[in-house]
């Protein structure tokens, strides 16, 4: 049987538009229906009464019999009438139930949900009884929802009931969020009712506003009472709880993402800058990768990585400053810097996923605190490398309060050198590092052969800065190899002289320019065998290399002396120390003036030499007349320490104290400054020669981008003034805009 009526929903809408139920829609039926029977009216009456009883849950008859009545009426062509009367009766019963709900002020929500559930069960039961109706008119769940919504709107307090349902659902959700007692089933039913009756959108808007207010207040409380790690854990827990809440109480899937976005905005985005003051720097210092990873993930979600990168750079800078200011001892500062660099790299890779912006912030932070004091970091790094390459044991100091736990594993020399040289990448004064490194390398090479560590360090520096940077260092290694070959040839040719076995010699020939500035060679008085060896080697070298001249540098030389005192010892001393000790072969007590007469050592060098031999704590070879006085006084006498003992057979006597080391470093630094001035002059002239004419600002920008060391604008201005005085450049008068320019003078 095909009818021209639509489905249940469209029928209800048309029913409302046409007015009173007495105006029946016209039903067009194909075919010839069966003639009505006398029993059909009885069936209609029975159905009407049964529907009333079912709606009041008092029906006790046979549902099978009702189904037969529906079948008979449909066959007789009265299916439309049956369907309409069903909806009318259900609407009447809904009005009666909703009227009772409006009277219950104290339990409206529970009563409304009860009516919804009860009438839902009733309609489901009726759908089975009226299932013989064709598919287009068969009552469905949607028809019941449309009917319930229509009757609720027509009820006396329908608007207030609708608002109460939405407010009740929000109140229950808020109680559940605050972990207060609530009825989960009532909440589920209210959410289902709101979704089914298309009231959900209005509820969702108010629910999101309520959630924003809740998390606004909660985040303020967390910020006052929690640390950053605890705050992030709470944020994670609430994100997961909101996801679970939406799933448990059957909120619309479209609600989840806006709800999570509200949480992130109130808890994270609006407090992104303030949260980093709750202990972010300490998390970085402690290398709390899990907490920092959680922080990075949240800040990335709310597009607040700029604040995180700024805070990360500041934390790195503060930790580095504390390490630099903790001590002046390179053996403590540099390991702390290496450890700090490794910690920040671990945070960068494991927590921040090698974020490019964070990597830039880390790089700028290290460059900032390392280059704050000119050349200071370069000096500390070269001192530490000198300790490692000499083979001295570095005793790890107690970690600083901010420092992460030290690595337990024992690292090889090559690994420790490579870790230390990672600091080199952030140094702006690489020319100063080269000068200090060459100074220390010169002493090590002249005291022993090149070690694998020194070759590895040089290789690493060449890979980092190129061959031009390490050309001078590699030239020092070449000189030592050439000197070794020369010594072998000289020994073979000077057998007669060397067979006297008065002394053995090892001569190192150093090329001027490759090595640090060679100290002046005073006219000291050497023993006759040494003078004969020197004369013989000069003649030998003149035959090997014509046109070259030799200049002896006793200040850099080393001697091995055999001492026959209380116990036989082998002393490793400088040339000056050896000359002083040899003077005591003929006398046990000598005055300062007598020693100067016998050795012809310059007064300044002689004072340092006597101090190193008489004031050392454990290696005291001479006894000073006034041991409490550091300086050597005129007329003061020194005596040979006949009862000297030491646990070692070979003893190295240090020849320089920290004070003199600082003086040497200052001299190196002055040479670096002078070299920089010459390089600045060359760069300015090269730039001006190519451009011919440039403004002041253009020249400054071009020169600063070309030099390989830090330069202040004031220093560059002084070099420009110097070039103008020397007539390399000419300053032009300012133009109308007051801009000064320079012209290159060919």
């Amino acid at each position: 049987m095909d009818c021209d009526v639509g489905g249940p929903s469209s029928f209800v809408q048309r029913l409302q538009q046409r007015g009173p139920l007495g105006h029946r829609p016209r039903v067009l039926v194909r075919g010839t229906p069966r003639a009505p029977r006398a029993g059909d009216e009885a069936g209609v009456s029975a159905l009407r009464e049964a529907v009333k009883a079912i709606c009041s849950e008092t029906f006790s008859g046979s549902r099978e019999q009702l189904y037969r009545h529906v079948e008979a009426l449909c066959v007789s062509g009265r299916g439309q009438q049956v369907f309409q009367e069903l909806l009318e009766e259900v609407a009447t019963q809904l009005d009666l139930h909703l009227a009772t709900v409006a009277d219950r002020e104290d339990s409206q929500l529970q009563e409304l949900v009860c009516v919804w559930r009860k009438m839902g069960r009733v309609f489901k039961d009726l759908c089975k009884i009226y299932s013989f109706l064709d598919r287009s008119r068969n009552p469905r769940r949607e028809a019941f929802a449309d009917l319930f919504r229509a009757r609720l709107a027509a009820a006396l307090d329908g608007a207030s009931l609708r608002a109460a349902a939405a407010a009740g659902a929000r109140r229950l959700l808020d109680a559940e969020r605050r972990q207060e007692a609530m009825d989960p089933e009532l909440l589920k039913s209210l959410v289902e009712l709101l979704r089914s009756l298309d009231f959900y959108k209005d509820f969702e808007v108010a629910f999101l506003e309520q959630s924003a207010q809740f998390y606004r207040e909660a985040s303020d409380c967390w910020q006052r009472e929690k640390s950053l790690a605890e705050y992030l854990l709470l944020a994670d827990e609430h994100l997961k709880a909101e996801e679970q809440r939406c799933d448990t109480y059957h909120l619309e899937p479209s609600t989840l993402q806006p709800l999570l976005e509200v949480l992130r905005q109130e808890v994270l985005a609006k407090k992104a800058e303030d949260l980093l003051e709750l202990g972010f720097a300490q998390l970085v210092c402690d290398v709390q990768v899990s907490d920092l990873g959680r922080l990075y993930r949240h800040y990335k979600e709310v597009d607040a990585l700029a604040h995180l990168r700024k805070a990360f750079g500041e934390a790195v800078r503060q930790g580095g400053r504390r390490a630099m200011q903790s001590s002046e001892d390179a053996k403590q500062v540099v390991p702390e810097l290496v450890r700090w660099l490794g910690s920040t790299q671990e945070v960068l890779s494991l927590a921040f996923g090698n974020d490019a912006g964070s990597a830039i912030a880390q790089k700028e932070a290290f460059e900032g605190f390392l280059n704050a004091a000119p050349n200071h970091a370069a000096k500390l790094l070269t001192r530490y490398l000198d300790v490692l390459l000499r083979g001295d044991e570095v005793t790890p100091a107690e970690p600083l309060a901010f420092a992460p736990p030290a690595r337990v594993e024992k690292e090889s020399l090559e690994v420790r050198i490579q870790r230390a040289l990672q600091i080199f990448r952030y140094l702006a004064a690489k020319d100063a590092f080269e000068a200090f490194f060459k100074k220390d390398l010169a002493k090590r090479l002249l005291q022993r052969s090149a070690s694998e560590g020194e070759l590895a360090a040089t290789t690493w520096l060449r890979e980092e800065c190129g061959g031009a940077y390490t050309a001078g260092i590699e030239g020092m290694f070449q000189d030592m190899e050439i000197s070794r070959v020369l010594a072998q040839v000289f020994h073979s040719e000077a057998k007669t002289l060397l067979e006297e076995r008065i002394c053995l010699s090892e001569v190192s020939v150093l090329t001027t320019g490759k090595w640090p500035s060679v100290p002046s060679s005073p006219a000291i008085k050497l023993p006759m065998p040494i003078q004969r060896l020197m004369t013989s080697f000069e003649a030998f070298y003149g035959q090997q290399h014509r046109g070259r001249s030799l200049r002896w540098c006793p200040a850099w030389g080393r001697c091995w002396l055999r001492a026959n005192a209380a116990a036989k010892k082998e002393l490793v001393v400088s040339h000056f120390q050896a000359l002083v000790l040899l003077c005591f072969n003929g006398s046990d007590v000598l005055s300062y003036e007598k020693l100067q007469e016998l050795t012809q050592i310059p007064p300044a060098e002689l004072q340092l030499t006597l101090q190193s031999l008489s004031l050392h704590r454990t290696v005291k070879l001479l006894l000073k007349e006034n041991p409490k006085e550091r300086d050597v006084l005129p007329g003061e006498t020194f005596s040979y320490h006949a009862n000297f003992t030491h646990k070692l057979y070979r003893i190295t006597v240090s020849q320089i104290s920290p004070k003199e080391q600082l003086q040497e470093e200052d001299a190196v630094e002055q040479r670096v400054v002078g070299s920089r001035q010459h390089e600045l002059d060359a760069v300015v002239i090269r730039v001006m020669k190519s451009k011919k004419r440039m403004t002041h600002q253009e020249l400054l920008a071009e020169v600063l981008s070309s030099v390989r060391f830090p330069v202040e604008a004031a220093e560059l201005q002084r070099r420009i003034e110097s070039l103008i005085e020397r007539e390399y450049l000419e300053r032009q008068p300012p133009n109308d805009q007051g801009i000064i320019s320079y012209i290159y003078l060919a």
Side-chain angles (χ1 to χ4, degrees):
M1 179 183 295
D2 296 327
C3 302
D4 66 342
V5 295
S9 299
S10 61
F11 174 75
V12 173
Q13 295 172 0
R14 296 197 317 191
L15 184 63
Q16 294 173 353
Q17 294 173 358
R18 298 190 64 148
L21 295 176
H23 297 278
R24 311 295 187 191
R26 185 178 180 182
V27 180
L28 301 178
V29 183
R30 293 197 186 108
T32 303
R34 178 180 61 82
R37 297 177 180 177
D40 290 348
E41 291 300 327
V44 171
S45 177
L47 281 173
R48 188 180 298 112
E49 294 299 325
V51 169
K52 290 181 181 179
I54 291 174
C55 289
S56 61
E57 295 183 334
T58 59
F59 180 73
S60 59
S62 172
R63 285 174 171 75
E64 179 67 21
Q65 185 65 33
L66 296 177
Y67 177 81
R68 297 302 178 190
H69 288 320
V70 173
E71 180 181 6
L73 290 171
C74 289
V75 170
S76 65
R78 302 178 66 180
Q80 180 63 40
Q81 178 186 356
V82 172
F83 180 68
Q84 182 181 352
E85 290 183 352
L86 168 65
L87 294 180
E88 290 175 356
E89 189 60 40
V90 172
T92 301
Q93 295 298 321
L94 274 176
D95 290 340
L96 293 174
H97 286 85
L98 290 174
T100 61
V101 172
D103 297 336
R104 300 289 186 88
E105 296 182 0
D106 55 342
S107 59
Q108 277 188 346
L109 290 181
Q110 289 81 353
E111 290 296 328
L112 182 63
V113 169
C114 287
V115 171
W116 167 258
R117 292 175 179 172
K118 175 182 176 180
M119 296 306 295
R121 292 192 301 269
V122 167
F123 203 75
K124 183 178 181 181
D125 196 12
L126 292 174
C127 287
K128 296 178 181 179
I129 296 173
Y130 284 80
S131 62
F132 189 81
L133 291 171
D134 58 34
R135 185 176 300 276
S136 62
R137 290 177 297 163
N138 190 16
R140 300 290 181 185
R141 181 76 175 174
E142 293 78 6
F144 171 67
D146 293 340
L147 187 61
F148 195 98
R149 181 170 55 253
R151 303 323 301 166
L152 183 62
L156 181 62
D157 292 330
S160 62
L161 288 175
R162 172 180 171 180
R170 294 196 304 272
R171 185 173 64 253
L172 291 173
L173 282 169
D174 187 64
E176 194 273 344
R177 183 181 281 153
R178 298 177 186 273
Q179 298 181 352
E180 299 174 356
M182 48 82 68
D183 187 352
E185 295 303 321
L186 176 60
L187 176 56
K188 291 179 183 178
S189 299
L190 285 173
V191 172
E192 182 184 1
L193 186 147
L194 293 171
R195 292 180 61 181
S196 300
L197 301 183
D198 294 337
F199 300 156
Y200 187 83
K201 285 299 179 184
D202 294 338
F203 157 78
E204 183 183 65
V205 173
F207 174 61
L208 293 177
E209 292 177 356
Q210 173 184 290
S211 300
Q213 180 63 28
F214 171 80
Y215 283 113
R216 191 177 302 120
E217 297 172 358
S219 61
D220 290 340
C221 180
W222 299 347
Q223 187 177 353
R224 291 191 301 268
E225 299 175 359
K226 305 295 182 182
S227 65
L228 179 57
E230 294 170 338
Y231 189 103
L232 296 173
L233 282 174
L234 285 172
D236 257 2
E237 291 173 1
H238 279 269
L239 284 169
K240 295 177 182 177
E242 293 296 346
E243 293 181 5
Q244 186 176 2
R245 188 170 294 116
C246 289
D247 182 63
T248 302
Y249 299 107
H250 310 302
L251 300 181
E252 288 281 1
S254 59
T255 305
L256 178 59
Q257 289 307 318
L259 179 59
L260 297 182
E261 185 62 25
V262 164
L263 190 154
R264 293 190 181 103
Q265 286 296 319
E266 297 296 335
V267 174
L268 298 168
K270 294 182 179 179
K271 297 183 177 295
E273 199 167 359
D274 297 335
L275 287 180
L276 297 172
E277 299 177 1
L278 298 181
F280 172 76
Q282 192 60 44
L283 290 180
V284 175
C285 292
D286 295 339
V287 199
Q288 297 296 324
V289 174
S290 59
D291 293 328
L292 291 171
R294 185 180 298 109
L295 177 67
Y296 176 80
R297 185 180 71 253
H298 287 317
Y299 273 52
K300 186 176 182 181
E301 290 170 348
V302 299
D303 195 21
L305 287 180
H307 298 297
L308 180 62
R309 292 163 181 162
K310 180 180 178 181
F312 180 59
E314 185 60 29
V316 173
R317 189 176 294 107
Q318 290 179 1
R321 285 173 181 167
R322 286 195 292 270
M324 293 291 292
Q325 298 170 2
S326 62
S327 173
E328 289 296 327
D329 187 0
K331 292 188 290 185
Q332 178 178 346
V333 175
V334 177
E336 291 296 340
L337 289 175
V338 171
R339 189 184 307 164
W340 183 232
L341 176 60
S343 300
T344 56
Q345 288 175 340
E346 188 174 348
V347 169
L348 188 62
S349 60
L350 298 182
F352 296 167
N354 289 318
D355 175 64
S358 301
I360 293 174
Q362 181 218 31
K363 176 178 178 293
E364 292 176 349
F366 265 89
E367 290 175 346
F369 72 77
L370 285 174
N371 301 313
N375 306 331
H376 181 59
K379 286 189 283 188
L380 290 175
L381 184 56
T382 51
R383 287 180 195 170
Y384 178 72
L385 289 174
D386 185 53
V387 171
L388 291 181
L389 293 172
R390 285 182 181 277
D392 297 342
E393 188 65 28
V394 179
T395 304
E398 288 294 327
L400 302 179
F402 68 89
R407 300 182 183 276
V408 178
E409 62 268 16
K410 180 76 172 178
E411 294 177 338
S412 63
L413 175 63
E414 288 75 12
V415 172
R416 286 192 289 173
I417 292 174
Q418 187 174 359
R419 288 186 182 278
L421 285 175
Q422 288 180 354
I423 305 297
F424 171 81
R425 291 175 175 169
Y426 303 97
L427 294 179
K430 289 182 169 58
D431 56 340
F433 174 87
E434 180 190 5
F436 293 128
F437 185 79
K438 288 175 67 175
K439 173 185 71 70
D440 295 332
L441 177 62
K443 295 178 181 180
R444 293 194 301 270
L445 290 179
L446 294 174
Q447 294 172 10
R448 65 189 75 182
S449 59
S451 65
E452 293 182 0
E454 288 166 336
L455 296 174
T458 304
T459 301
W460 193 92
L461 290 173
R462 182 173 63 250
E463 294 174 353
E464 187 71 19
C465 300
Y469 185 81
T470 57
I473 297 174
E474 292 171 343
M476 296 168 69
F477 291 120
Q478 293 173 0
D479 281 353
M480 296 306 297
E481 182 62 23
I482 293 173
S483 298
R484 185 183 63 81
V485 175
L486 281 175
Q488 292 176 352
V489 177
F490 175 68
H491 286 189
S492 62
E493 294 185 2
K495 289 182 180 179
T496 304
L497 185 63
L498 295 174
E499 281 177 356
E500 296 181 5
R501 304 196 62 83
I502 298 175
C503 62
L504 298 176
S505 66
E506 294 182 4
V507 182
S508 298
V509 181
L510 314 180
T511 304
T512 304
K514 294 181 180 179
W515 294 70
S517 297
V518 180
S520 59
S521 54
I524 59 177
K525 186 179 293 185
L526 297 172
M528 187 57 64
I530 301 298
Q531 294 182 13
R532 291 174 56 191
L533 280 173
M534 292 171 61
T535 304
S536 177
F537 186 83
E538 287 178 352
F540 163 76
Y541 189 80
Q543 295 175 358
Q544 297 286 331
H545 303 279
R546 298 186 181 279
R548 295 187 182 182
S549 61
L550 291 178
R551 180 164 60 94
W552 296 93
C553 304
W556 279 5
R558 303 285 287 178
C559 285
W560 282 259
L561 298 179
R562 290 191 179 92
N564 297 319
K568 293 184 178 180
K569 301 290 182 182
E570 187 173 298
L571 306 177
V572 181
V573 294
S574 67
H575 282 180
F576 294 158
Q577 290 171 336
L579 290 178
V580 171
L581 291 175
L582 290 175
C583 292
F584 286 90
N585 283 337
S587 178
D588 291 339
V589 179
L590 292 172
S591 65
Y592 168 75
E593 288 77 10
K594 185 63 176 179
L595 288 172
Q596 188 173 16
E597 178 186 350
L598 294 174
T599 61
Q600 297 297 314
I601 298 175
E605 297 293 340
L606 181 58
Q607 284 200 7
L608 292 176
T609 301
L610 291 173
Q611 288 173 358
S612 64
L613 292 173
S614 60
L615 298 178
H616 198 279
R617 289 183 179 180
T618 58
V619 184
K620 191 175 295 186
L621 300 176
L622 299 180
L623 298 178
K624 191 171 180 290
E625 183 179 358
N626 299 315
K628 295 183 179 180
E629 183 68 33
R630 177 179 174 83
D631 295 333
V632 177
L633 303 176
E636 191 171 8
T637 59
F638 295 84
S639 59
Y640 180 65
H641 190 187
N643 298 323
F644 170 76
T645 58
H646 200 278
K647 62 180 181 179
L648 299 179
Y649 172 72
R650 173 174 289 185
I651 304 169
T652 300
V653 183
S654 59
Q655 59 181 6
I656 196 165
S657 63
K659 181 179 179 180
E660 283 71 42
Q661 183 181 10
L662 293 176
Q663 293 174 353
E664 274 196 356
E665 290 177 348
D666 290 342
V668 172
E669 194 166 358
Q670 291 301 320
R671 291 196 296 269
V672 170
V673 171
S675 176
R676 287 179 179 178
Q677 291 179 351
H678 295 313
E679 187 169 345
L680 273 178
D681 292 348
V683 171
V684 172
I685 292 175
R686 183 174 66 249
V687 170
M688 289 299 302
K689 188 174 182 180
S690 62
K691 302 291 185 179
K692 302 302 182 183
R693 183 188 183 98
M694 295 185 73
T695 65
H696 178 74
Q697 294 299 329
E698 290 174 345
L699 180 59
L700 289 182
E702 188 73 22
V703 173
L704 292 176
S705 63
S706 301
V707 295
R708 59 189 180 96
F709 48 83
V711 181
E712 294 182 359
E715 176 63 24
L716 180 54
Q717 180 64 39
R718 285 193 290 269
R719 302 318 306 161
I720 293 174
E721 295 293 338
S722 175
L723 291 174
I724 292 174
E725 293 176 0
R726 288 178 283 167
E727 297 183 352
Y728 285 97
L729 306 178
E730 180 179 329
R731 183 189 289 109
Q732 295 296 302
N735 59 12
D736 297 338
Q737 290 78 27
I739 299 176
I740 299 175
S741 59
Y742 303 101
I743 294 178
Y744 175 70
L745 300 178

